[in-house]
Each structure stands twice: as C-alpha cells, then as structure tokens.
Amino acid sequence: MKNAFTHITALLSTCALLLTACGGSNTSTNSTNKIIPIGIAVAQTSNVALLGQEQVAGAKIAEKYFNDKGGINGTPFKLVFQDTAGDEAGTINAFQALINKDKVVGIVGPTLSQQAFSADPIAERSKIPVLGPSNTAKGIPEIGDYIARVSAPVSVVAPNSVKAAIKLNPNIKRVAVFYAQNDAFSKSETEIFQQTVKEQGLELVTVQRFQTSDTDFQSQATNAINLKPDLVIISGLAADGGNLVRQLRELGYKGLIVGGNGLNTSNILPVCKALCDGVLIAQAYSPEHPGEINAAFRKAYVDQYKKEPPQFSAQAFAAVQVYVEALKSLDQKSKVNQLQIQELRTELNKQLLTGKYNTPLGEIGFTPIGEVVQKDFYVAQIKMESDGSKGKFTFLK
Ligand code: 1QQ
C-alpha cells in the first residue's frame, strides 16, 4: 500500500507538469480520476518565495505523511502546485488554474493576505474551499463562507512579542513603529502593534512608512533613531524587513527590535546577517510542541532540511492535514469518489469547519465563519553566530 501510494504520487506529480501528456486536464468528476487533487497556491517565485518556499516544504511533507498512512481511507491524494508569485494577478491565475483546469477539491493558499483579498473572492464565487496557511490580517475568514484559515490572526499573535520585549527590558518607554503601507497584512499587524504599545502604557514616538519593494530605509531609520526609541517594531515582509533591521543597526540603533510575521523566516538571516541578532518574533508554532504528529513532522523536516521546522512549514502541513481528515470523515458518510466535484467541494467545506484536528500546531478547530481556534503561542528570538554566517530562532521560556 505504502509503496504503491508513493509511486502513484510520484507519477501524478509528473502528470501535473505534463497534464496534456497524461490526459488529466479535463476530468470532470472524481469517479473517473481516483486520486483526489488538493491545490496549493503559494509563492514559489519572487521575493515572497522567501516565505512561500517554506510552505511548499511543509505541504510536501504532509502529502507523503498522510499518503503513507493510507490517504483518504485507502484512496491517495495528490497536491497540485500552482505558483502565485508575489502579486495579486499571479494569485488569481493560480486559483483559476486550480479551480477550472486541475479541478482540485480545495485550495491551500495564498501566501499573503494582500493576495488573499483579491483571489479568495474568486474561490468564494466558484464555491471551492480555501484554507489560508499564513493569512493573518483582520478580515480574511469574513471574505466568504468558503474561506477559512489555519493561521491565527495578528490580533492573537502579535501582542505576544511586544510583551516579551517588555519582559526582557522593563525599562522600555519609547517605541518607534515601521510598516509597509502597500501590504494588507502589514497594515493590519501594525494596528495591533500600535494598540498593544498604548495598552502597555508605552509612548509611540513615531510611525514610519515604507514599501515592501524598498531597499533603502536611511531616511525612515534616521527619523526614528533621532527620537531615541528603546523599542522598534517592524511590520513588513522578509526582504524589506531584513534590510530595515540591518540599516537600523548600521545607523547605530541599539535597542530591542520586534519583527512581525513577515520576518518570520530564517530566509531573512542572509539579509541582515550578524545584525539580525536579538530580533524578537511571535510564533504560532513551536518545534517543541508535544505529541506524535509534531514529532513525525519535525523529524521529516529535520531529516530533509537539517534545521528545525519553521512556522510557515508547520501551518502548511496543518492545512493539508485539515483537508485530508475532513475528506476522510466525509468519505465515511458518502464516498468522496462518487460525488460530483461541485458537490464534493461544498460538502468538504461544511465538513472541515466542524472538525477538530490534532496538528503540529496543537489541536485546532474553526469558528463557524472559518477563523482558526488555537491554544498555544510562543515568542522566538534570533541568535546569530558572531560572524553572521549562521543563526537560528531560539524560543523564549
Ligand atoms: C499575511 C502574513 C504573511 C506575512 C505571512 C507569509 O501573515 O500576509 O497575512
């Protein structure tokens, strides 16, 4: 069983690349195509791939793990990848390909909230479930009945890192906030950061704006440093965020730095190198999370990548897991291979919202509108070797 599945999965990955050669592009129902296709629409190219490539890794580990365990009650599933790149147009194309050409039962994606706000409404209109693996802005599940997420929102995650910074340095008083004004997630996260700063009785001395495409932050960094902050908080993405950290340090800023979820990848380490040291980032996943499924996920990740699994990989794994377990439950009621694709998508959407899932993130479930319900959150701090060549995320106690 195990080897047959692995073989079929490998064959289908080839077919996904050569759809015409394999003749699989026009299959209208699942009864003629036994293998169940789940779509993955994340950024595999562009700067956003600094985040998206970790999602591909987590999803692929889930594909092998759950197919080795028998797939959907004995029927294997396959992941169909469509690259969204970093923008909205690419995401819309990827969603349309998955919905109309690949005829997937549900989609995991996209990488950014900025992309989700334009592509998710297309899935909603086509009545196909979407599980956001990393969309944390306010308002994502509210896009529609078919839109849910496994990524806890900024309102739940972001305050943890500010509180951790205050614990590390109880003398913090003056806070400078930076955010990328062309990114929906960054705008949403900075609102939460600014609110937390005020709730903690700190003084917000400046709010500096930039673009995710910026590489030069000299003027914003200088403006902020002149106001003598003892905490800097950044909401941006990986490349811009890493460059901003580096330039703040080069210009002499010595205080603590909190980075938001867009900096939550070891792919920023080559950008700020030794100057990344000490950055605090809240986490919705810990590699130390107890339980069998996280142990299996962690081992598979460490074996392949020789480092601890990052949050974005764990969330992508969890999203695939939700589809697999919801499909299994549904299949026990009515054989999923005998349902027409549209009926299957609708039933799957209903089913997944009612389940409880024991994932590497801990036990998760959903509210009726598709907001994730999750218990455990953490804060990590980047520790770099002094020559800046290597570093890692260490979890605070
Ligand atoms: C969002 C995010 C991203 C920074 C994660 C990749 O949280 O866009 O909502």
Side-chain angles (χ1 to χ4, degrees):
M1 184 82 90
K2 182 169 173 174
N3 289 340
F5 276 15
T6 314
H7 182 70
I8 291 167
T9 312
L11 196 69
L12 274 152
S13 309
T14 317
C15 289
L17 294 171
L18 301 166
L19 269 172
T20 44
C22 295
S25 62
N26 290 320
T27 317
S28 58
T29 68
N30 269 306
S31 48
T32 51
N33 178 9
K34 281 225 154 269
I35 292 162
I36 297 164
I38 298 173
I40 309 286
V42 297
Q44 295 179 261
T45 55
S46 85
N47 260 351
V48 183
L50 295 176
L51 307 158
Q53 66 187 208
E54 295 187 343
Q55 303 181 299
V56 171
K60 285 188 171 163
I61 290 172
E63 182 180 38
K64 175 162 188 339
Y65 178 81
F66 291 107
N67 271 329
D68 283 354
K69 280 189 165 321
I72 317 299
N73 301 331
T75 303
F77 70 94
K78 63 164 178 172
L79 299 183
V80 183
F81 288 85
Q82 290 288 355
D83 178 16
T84 63
D87 61 0
E88 292 90 322
T91 311
I92 290 169
N93 286 340
F95 270 48
Q96 281 170 338
L98 290 172
I99 297 167
N100 301 318
K101 178 172 72 70
D102 304 320
K103 308 231 182 282
V104 299
V105 297
I107 296 174
V108 174
T111 302
L112 301 181
S113 294
Q114 178 71 29
Q115 298 170 305
F117 284 120
S118 56
D120 286 2
I122 289 167
E124 176 67 19
R125 282 197 291 279
S126 304
K127 299 193 189 318
I128 176 165
V130 173
L131 277 175
S134 56
N135 311 137
T136 62
K138 182 178 172 182
I140 295 286
E142 291 81 357
I143 292 171
D145 294 344
Y146 283 78
I147 315 300
R149 61 175 157 195
V150 300
S151 43
V154 287
S155 57
V156 172
V157 180
N160 296 306
S161 50
V162 179
K163 291 175 191 164
I166 296 170
K167 212 166 141 193
L168 286 176
N169 177 7
N171 296 323
I172 288 173
K173 287 195 183 59
R174 299 170 62 78
V175 184
V177 165
F178 290 71
Y179 77 93
Q181 59 183 343
N182 63 330
D183 178 62
F185 146 77
S186 300
K187 287 194 279 188
S188 184
E189 192 189 53
T190 197
E191 271 184 35
I192 300 297
F193 276 138
Q194 292 180 37
Q195 189 186 321
T196 309
V197 163
K198 289 174 196 152
E199 282 167 6
Q200 295 294 317
L202 307 176
E203 188 186 346
L204 186 60
V205 296
T206 182
V207 176
Q208 296 288 327
R209 294 167 185 81
F210 61 93
Q211 307 282 325
T212 52
S213 53
D214 286 350
T215 53
D216 179 353
F217 301 93
Q218 300 292 306
S219 77
Q220 295 99 321
T222 306
N223 290 344
I225 290 170
N226 286 341
L227 295 165
K228 305 206 177 323
D230 28 44
L231 175 64
V232 164
I233 305 178
I234 301 170
S235 293
L237 302 179
D240 44 322
N243 269 315
L244 177 50
V245 167
R246 181 170 61 76
Q247 290 174 37
L248 279 162
R249 293 303 188 204
E250 285 169 352
L251 289 167
Y253 174 66
K254 298 250 174 339
L256 280 171
I257 298 178
V258 161
N261 201 38
L263 283 73
N264 198 359
T265 167
S266 55
N267 289 326
I268 70 164
L269 305 187
V271 183
C272 40
K273 300 197 175 74
L275 301 177
C276 304
D277 193 65
V279 172
L280 294 163
I281 305 177
Q283 305 290 326
Y285 168 70
S286 164
E288 306 279 348
H289 189 84
E292 202 182 308
I293 187 120
N294 185 45
F297 164 67
R298 183 184 189 183
K299 182 175 183 314
Y301 189 93
V302 172
D303 283 354
Q304 195 171 345
Y305 298 100
K306 314 293 172 217
K307 58 181 179 185
E308 291 289 356
Q311 174 201 280
F312 292 127
S313 300
Q315 288 175 320
F317 181 102
V320 172
Q321 181 180 355
V322 167
Y323 277 132
V324 169
E325 293 184 1
L327 283 162
K328 283 166 80 173
S329 302
L330 185 59
D331 186 63
Q332 278 159 3
K333 296 187 233 162
S334 42
K335 284 272 156 229
V336 297
N337 262 331
Q338 281 156 26
L339 292 175
Q340 293 293 318
I341 184 74
Q342 196 46 61
E343 193 181 0
L344 175 51
R345 288 167 174 174
T346 298
E347 292 306 314
L348 175 59
N349 189 56
K350 282 189 213 151
Q351 179 66 47
L352 73 88
L353 290 173
T354 63
K356 290 266 176 293
Y357 308 89
N358 180 15
T359 74
L361 311 173
E363 187 184 273
I364 62 169
F366 299 96
T367 67
I369 68 153
E371 183 61 281
V372 68
V373 180
Q374 182 185 348
K375 290 189 200 78
D376 298 314
F377 299 95
Y378 312 85
V379 178
Q381 187 165 34
I382 297 176
K383 285 274 173 275
M384 297 300 298
E385 286 181 11
S386 52
D387 66 358
S389 63
K390 276 206 228 112
K392 60 175 190 235
F393 286 61
T394 57
F395 281 66
L396 302 181
K397 294 280 177 268

